[in-house]
Amino acid sequence: MKKWTFRALFAYILFGVMIYIYLFYLAGSGVPDVFRGTSADPTTFMSGKELLLSEEYSKIRNLLFFLSTPYEWLLYFFLLLFGVSRLLERWGGSISHFSIVQTAIYVFSFSFIVFVIQFPFRYLSYYFSSKYGISTQVFSSWMKDGMIDFWVNFVTMLIIVAVLYALMRRFQKRWWLFAWLLSVPFMIFMMFIKPVLIDPLYNDFYPLKDKELEQKILALADEANIPAEHVYEVDMSTKTNAMNAYVTGVGSNSRIVLWDTTLEQLNDEEILFIMAHEMGHYVEKHIYVGIGGYLLLTFIGLWLTAKIMNRTVRIHGDRLKITGVSSISSLPLILLITSILLFAASPLSNWASRYQEMRADRYAIELTVDKKAGVSSFQALTKAGLSQVHPPFLVKIFRYGHPTMLERIQMIEAYPVDHD
């Protein structure tokens, strides 16, 4: 145990030092010489102070991301190695003879421990976001959102864990296949209820107040053959200065949503370009492509998880205090394996996402025929979020689900349209 603990901590510290050196000393984020002075060059639309703050904040945010991910792996590993997971399982068994009650006790205790131990990283993210003027949320409101996160995640995890371990006990060799089959309707169900049950727990949603703008957006949707009757506005200015707009939900619960910060900081033409981008996802059926990709990755991921779990429990089960794969004390091992697999697959999934986002940008240009609004909206998004226009390579492939602002602005500038 001491040897494994030392090796794990040493590997984490060594990784932390290496990623710090990479982000703060080796990786460059400056705009290539060929783009200097263009509309993609942040010096043309950001002040010197904004540029400095952008570099500082981006480096800190990227460092927190790369440190928090293996920190999560370390947490799951130690919960197994020191017998905490096994202890929680026994505690649940001592309180009740009913399986669902034992599962609920375990999941709640496990979720609480993870929440507490991961709290420092969440707080640091909130602290620096507030310090650099991105977050406007007071601490009490931030903690309230954290508590909502905890309970939503607890209920969701309880359902998943109860079903998953029931499948493990019933189908010892093919549990991963049945879990994959059930994940499909569960995902669609969550997408359906999220806009009407989960999202309103965090923010107030209401019809767009600017009816003239709403009519412009609906007219754009009609031109794109998108069935839409309302546009929703969400009060985010009490929490952030960043901007966003999105389409969420499926079927009758689908919604077009604009943050009020977007409405305050962009003009109508820029907002219409952003909305045209979101409509591009709908027209090009990216939601169905995303579901297809999810099904493929989940199938491979669950199969690999089952294979790795069986081998790990067979060889190291005693050291990790796991009596069997179907024992609920193996949950940290499942989460550890899936988290590592998701991280390993993130360059591929992020690449696919960036491709779709670029396609949506092109659609927005063709629908609005307003390249100027596209460029200015992306410049405004960069300033509001203190984003890097040209992030380091590792940051891009592991963090960016959207093309870099350099790529997006240059694509708009070079894209041919009939009317500029």
PDB file of all heavy atoms in Angstrom, residues 363-374:
ATOM      1  N   TYR A 363     -22.530  27.687 -42.049  1.00  0.00           N
ATOM      2  CA  TYR A 363     -23.961  27.812 -42.292  1.00  0.00           C
ATOM      3  C   TYR A 363     -24.450  29.204 -41.887  1.00  0.00           C
ATOM      4  O   TYR A 363     -25.281  29.806 -42.586  1.00  0.00           O
ATOM      5  CB  TYR A 363     -24.734  26.743 -41.517  1.00  0.00           C
ATOM      6  CG  TYR A 363     -26.223  26.812 -41.754  1.00  0.00           C
ATOM      7  CD1 TYR A 363     -26.800  26.200 -42.853  1.00  0.00           C
ATOM      8  CD2 TYR A 363     -27.047  27.523 -40.887  1.00  0.00           C
ATOM      9  CE1 TYR A 363     -28.155  26.278 -43.090  1.00  0.00           C
ATOM     10  CE2 TYR A 363     -28.411  27.615 -41.114  1.00  0.00           C
ATOM     11  CZ  TYR A 363     -28.961  26.990 -42.221  1.00  0.00           C
ATOM     12  OH  TYR A 363     -30.305  27.086 -42.457  1.00  0.00           O
ATOM     13  N   ALA A 364     -23.932  29.714 -40.769  1.00  0.00           N
ATOM     14  CA  ALA A 364     -24.338  31.041 -40.310  1.00  0.00           C
ATOM     15  C   ALA A 364     -23.960  32.121 -41.326  1.00  0.00           C
ATOM     16  O   ALA A 364     -24.722  33.066 -41.550  1.00  0.00           O
ATOM     17  CB  ALA A 364     -23.691  31.340 -38.959  1.00  0.00           C
ATOM     18  N   ILE A 365     -22.793  31.978 -41.928  1.00  0.00           N
ATOM     19  CA  ILE A 365     -22.372  32.944 -42.949  1.00  0.00           C
ATOM     20  C   ILE A 365     -23.334  32.905 -44.140  1.00  0.00           C
ATOM     21  O   ILE A 365     -23.782  33.938 -44.639  1.00  0.00           O
ATOM     22  CB  ILE A 365     -20.932  32.646 -43.431  1.00  0.00           C
ATOM     23  CG1 ILE A 365     -19.945  32.760 -42.281  1.00  0.00           C
ATOM     24  CG2 ILE A 365     -20.540  33.607 -44.550  1.00  0.00           C
ATOM     25  CD1 ILE A 365     -18.549  32.277 -42.622  1.00  0.00           C
ATOM     26  N   GLU A 366     -23.664  31.684 -44.575  1.00  0.00           N
ATOM     27  CA  GLU A 366     -24.534  31.546 -45.735  1.00  0.00           C
ATOM     28  C   GLU A 366     -25.957  32.026 -45.451  1.00  0.00           C
ATOM     29  O   GLU A 366     -26.623  32.569 -46.342  1.00  0.00           O
ATOM     30  CB  GLU A 366     -24.552  30.075 -46.180  1.00  0.00           C
ATOM     31  CG  GLU A 366     -23.204  29.589 -46.693  1.00  0.00           C
ATOM     32  CD  GLU A 366     -23.185  28.086 -46.944  1.00  0.00           C
ATOM     33  OE1 GLU A 366     -24.197  27.427 -46.617  1.00  0.00           O
ATOM     34  OE2 GLU A 366     -22.165  27.584 -47.450  1.00  0.00           O
ATOM     35  N   LEU A 367     -26.428  31.826 -44.222  1.00  0.00           N
ATOM     36  CA  LEU A 367     -27.799  32.219 -43.887  1.00  0.00           C
ATOM     37  C   LEU A 367     -27.928  33.727 -43.688  1.00  0.00           C
ATOM     38  O   LEU A 367     -28.894  34.338 -44.150  1.00  0.00           O
ATOM     39  CB  LEU A 367     -28.258  31.479 -42.630  1.00  0.00           C
ATOM     40  CG  LEU A 367     -29.717  31.690 -42.204  1.00  0.00           C
ATOM     41  CD1 LEU A 367     -30.662  31.195 -43.296  1.00  0.00           C
ATOM     42  CD2 LEU A 367     -30.008  30.969 -40.891  1.00  0.00           C
ATOM     43  N   THR A 368     -26.948  34.334 -43.011  1.00  0.00           N
ATOM     44  CA  THR A 368     -27.043  35.765 -42.706  1.00  0.00           C
ATOM     45  C   THR A 368     -26.370  36.646 -43.755  1.00  0.00           C
ATOM     46  O   THR A 368     -26.690  37.835 -43.871  1.00  0.00           O
ATOM     47  CB  THR A 368     -26.401  36.074 -41.348  1.00  0.00           C
ATOM     48  OG1 THR A 368     -24.994  35.767 -41.402  1.00  0.00           O
ATOM     49  CG2 THR A 368     -27.037  35.246 -40.238  1.00  0.00           C
ATOM     50  N   VAL A 369     -25.409  36.091 -44.477  1.00  0.00           N
ATOM     51  CA  VAL A 369     -24.591  36.846 -45.433  1.00  0.00           C
ATOM     52  C   VAL A 369     -24.028  38.089 -44.745  1.00  0.00           C
ATOM     53  O   VAL A 369     -24.064  39.193 -45.275  1.00  0.00           O
ATOM     54  CB  VAL A 369     -25.407  37.234 -46.690  1.00  0.00           C
ATOM     55  CG1 VAL A 369     -24.466  37.634 -47.824  1.00  0.00           C
ATOM     56  CG2 VAL A 369     -26.296  36.101 -47.142  1.00  0.00           C
ATOM     57  N   ASP A 370     -23.519  37.888 -43.529  1.00  0.00           N
ATOM     58  CA  ASP A 370     -23.024  39.014 -42.734  1.00  0.00           C
ATOM     59  C   ASP A 370     -21.719  38.611 -42.047  1.00  0.00           C
ATOM     60  O   ASP A 370     -21.692  38.272 -40.863  1.00  0.00           O
ATOM     61  CB  ASP A 370     -24.073  39.426 -41.701  1.00  0.00           C
ATOM     62  CG  ASP A 370     -23.777  40.783 -41.075  1.00  0.00           C
ATOM     63  OD1 ASP A 370     -22.646  41.286 -41.243  1.00  0.00           O
ATOM     64  OD2 ASP A 370     -24.675  41.340 -40.415  1.00  0.00           O
ATOM     65  N   LYS A 371     -20.644  38.657 -42.812  1.00  0.00           N
ATOM     66  CA  LYS A 371     -19.345  38.283 -42.274  1.00  0.00           C
ATOM     67  C   LYS A 371     -18.864  39.250 -41.200  1.00  0.00           C
ATOM     68  O   LYS A 371     -18.213  38.864 -40.227  1.00  0.00           O
ATOM     69  CB  LYS A 371     -18.318  38.191 -43.411  1.00  0.00           C
ATOM     70  CG  LYS A 371     -18.590  37.037 -44.369  1.00  0.00           C
ATOM     71  CD  LYS A 371     -17.796  37.141 -45.663  1.00  0.00           C
ATOM     72  CE  LYS A 371     -16.317  37.223 -45.444  1.00  0.00           C
ATOM     73  NZ  LYS A 371     -15.556  37.139 -46.717  1.00  0.00           N
ATOM     74  N   LYS A 372     -19.194  40.516 -41.369  1.00  0.00           N
ATOM     75  CA  LYS A 372     -18.777  41.533 -40.403  1.00  0.00           C
ATOM     76  C   LYS A 372     -19.340  41.233 -39.021  1.00  0.00           C
ATOM     77  O   LYS A 372     -18.633  41.334 -38.013  1.00  0.00           O
ATOM     78  CB  LYS A 372     -19.227  42.915 -40.869  1.00  0.00           C
ATOM     79  CG  LYS A 372     -18.819  44.039 -39.936  1.00  0.00           C
ATOM     80  CD  LYS A 372     -19.289  45.388 -40.468  1.00  0.00           C
ATOM     81  CE  LYS A 372     -18.901  46.514 -39.509  1.00  0.00           C
ATOM     82  NZ  LYS A 372     -19.396  47.833 -39.995  1.00  0.00           N
ATOM     83  N   ALA A 373     -20.623  40.859 -38.956  1.00  0.00           N
ATOM     84  CA  ALA A 373     -21.244  40.533 -37.673  1.00  0.00           C
ATOM     85  C   ALA A 373     -20.608  39.283 -37.073  1.00  0.00           C
ATOM     86  O   ALA A 373     -20.439  39.184 -35.847  1.00  0.00           O
ATOM     87  CB  ALA A 373     -22.746  40.332 -37.851  1.00  0.00           C
ATOM     88  N   GLY A 374     -20.239  38.320 -37.921  1.00  0.00           N
ATOM     89  CA  GLY A 374     -19.599  37.113 -37.432  1.00  0.00           C
ATOM     90  C   GLY A 374     -18.255  37.401 -36.781  1.00  0.00           C
ATOM     91  O   GLY A 374     -17.967  36.923 -35.684  1.00  0.00           O
TER      92      GLY A 374
END
